[in-house]
Amino acid sequence: KGLQGFYFGLPAVLLQVAGKGAIRFTAFEQFKFLMHLTPVPKASIDFRAGIGAGFAEAFLWTTPTERLKVLRQNDIKSGLNRYSSLAGSIRTVATEHGITGLYAGIGATGIRQASGVGVRFALYGRVKSALTTDPPQMWQSALAGGITGCCSTLLNNPIDVIKSRIEAQDGKTKEYTGTIQAFRAILKEEGVLAFYKGIAPRLMKISIGQAITFTAYEAYSNTFS
């Protein structure tokens, strides 16, 4: 496939990253504001608000865009080129599986996003405080974001494997019918190490991504505050 093969699914990824970032931080701030009005312990507000934001982005955005991304990337293996464009991918999934086909793996995706986002927001402030005084320098925000990205990845890589297996299915006969069933099947057939397949590139992707995300978040917050 050449160099182009590394960029299969890029339109869906770009759409996904922009959309889920907007939803994530908007939802986080809203949940955080509401929780300050309740007797929730302040030490847990960032974590709880992050969980809420993770579920919100999973339902509103991440699940359908992840589904399209995974299907497009699977074209590399099949060579069928059934998902050659973003619009074409949506039409194909909607025609063959109905609109609910875009929400395959929503349970696993929701758990992944909620756990990952919750951990990131809970840890980011603490790691940042340990590194610097407020406001942080750019490299300190990047380092804090990278560390939180690594921690969340180590925590939820098993559910990411389950999510990807479910989303990659593209036929009438499905090996994985749900999150719990997929967990049991993978554990039985491949062992516990299967849940950490692909963790090295995912660690790189998410740590770098969160370093950039939190650095940009701090910069924009300071600019518009």
Side-chain angles (χ1 to χ4, degrees), residues 115-130:
S115 61
V117 176
V119 167
R120 289 168 199 165
F121 278 116
L123 290 181
Y124 177 71
R126 291 170 172 80
V127 175
K128 184 179 71 172
S129 297

Side-chain angles (χ1 to χ4, degrees), residues 20-33 46 49-50 53 117 120-122 124-125 128 134-138 141-142 144-145 148 208-225:
K20 78 177 181 180
I23 294 170
R24 175 184 301 175
F25 284 97
T26 300
F28 173 74
E29 293 296 343
Q30 294 302 312
F31 280 120
K32 189 174 179 180
F33 172 77
D46 283 350
V117 176
R120 289 168 199 165
F121 278 116
Y124 177 71
K128 184 179 71 172
D134 194 47
Q137 297 180 36
M138 184 178 292
S141 295
T148 61
I208 294 171
Q210 293 309 303
I212 295 170
T213 297
F214 278 105
T215 301
Y217 175 69
E218 293 282 1
Y220 286 124
S221 295
N222 293 333
T223 299
F224 295 109
S225 62

Side-chain angles (χ1 to χ4, degrees), residues 15 18 26 30-31 41 56 63 67 86 105 123 137 143 156 175 177 181 190:
L15 187 66
T26 300
Q30 294 302 312
F31 280 120
T63 301
R67 169 74 160 153
L86 183 58
L123 290 181
Q137 297 180 36
L143 181 58
N156 68 10
E175 182 179 0
T177 57
Q181 182 271 337
E190 303 176 50

